[in-house]
Amino acid sequence: MENSKYTAAHTTNDLLFDLDPGRSRTALNYQIVAQSTEEVQDIQNAPAISMGQYLIESEQVKLLTTISIYAQQGESRDQVRLLYMNAAALLIWKAMGRQPTLLGFLHRPPKTALLAFGVPFSE
């Protein structure tokens, strides 16, 4: 691997995009959703609790393989929990009637965030 053009800073997606240049990089972006103290106190605002139930009840279980949500502790009352949701997860979250507070987006969640629901780095 010493002759490889990929360094330790590259991800497996760098290789993926080189192999399939038509693949959209923006499809892998994660929206950052902040949840306040009040939101976190309602258990239905935890995707791991409510999203699976919603997908079962709406007969959309096949979407489970497209969802990727990571969570990380926030640092203020307005941002007690940060969720990193891919596009599919955010669309479902909104369809569930949630009104997320969006802070921005990242290509990948931080390494310190933990998988909260779905599959790792889903497309």
Side-chain angles (χ1 to χ4, degrees):
M1 284 245 34
E2 290 183 28
N3 292 334
S4 175
K5 70 177 185 176
Y6 299 101
T7 66
H10 286 89
T11 67
T12 55
N13 286 319
D14 294 321
L15 175 60
L16 174 69
F17 292 123
D18 282 353
L19 295 173
D20 185 5
R23 187 176 290 267
S24 172
R25 287 183 182 262
T26 59
L28 297 176
N29 285 339
Y30 284 74
Q31 292 283 332
I32 305 167
V33 175
Q35 291 188 318
S36 68
T37 302
E38 293 77 24
E39 289 174 299
V40 171
Q41 289 175 349
D42 179 357
I43 192 102
Q44 292 301 310
N45 284 321
I49 302 292
S50 60
M51 195 173 282
Q53 179 182 347
Y54 173 81
L55 292 173
I56 291 168
E57 290 173 358
S58 62
E59 298 179 359
Q60 300 179 73
V61 177
K62 65 183 179 182
L63 293 176
L64 282 171
T65 60
T66 66
I67 297 168
S68 183
I69 304 173
Y70 285 77
Q72 183 175 32
Q73 182 177 343
E75 297 182 8
S76 70
R77 286 187 57 78
D78 293 335
Q79 299 177 12
V80 169
R81 177 169 52 206
L82 299 176
L83 298 174
Y84 301 88
M85 297 183 161
N86 68 350
L90 188 59
L91 286 172
I92 294 166
W93 197 240
K94 288 179 179 179
M96 292 171 61
R98 303 297 188 269
Q99 297 176 343
T101 302
L102 301 177
L103 300 180
F105 66 91
L106 295 172
H107 185 64
R108 290 279 184 244
K111 291 181 181 183
T112 54
L114 300 174
L115 183 64
F117 189 73
V119 294
F121 300 131
S122 174
E123 293 183 44

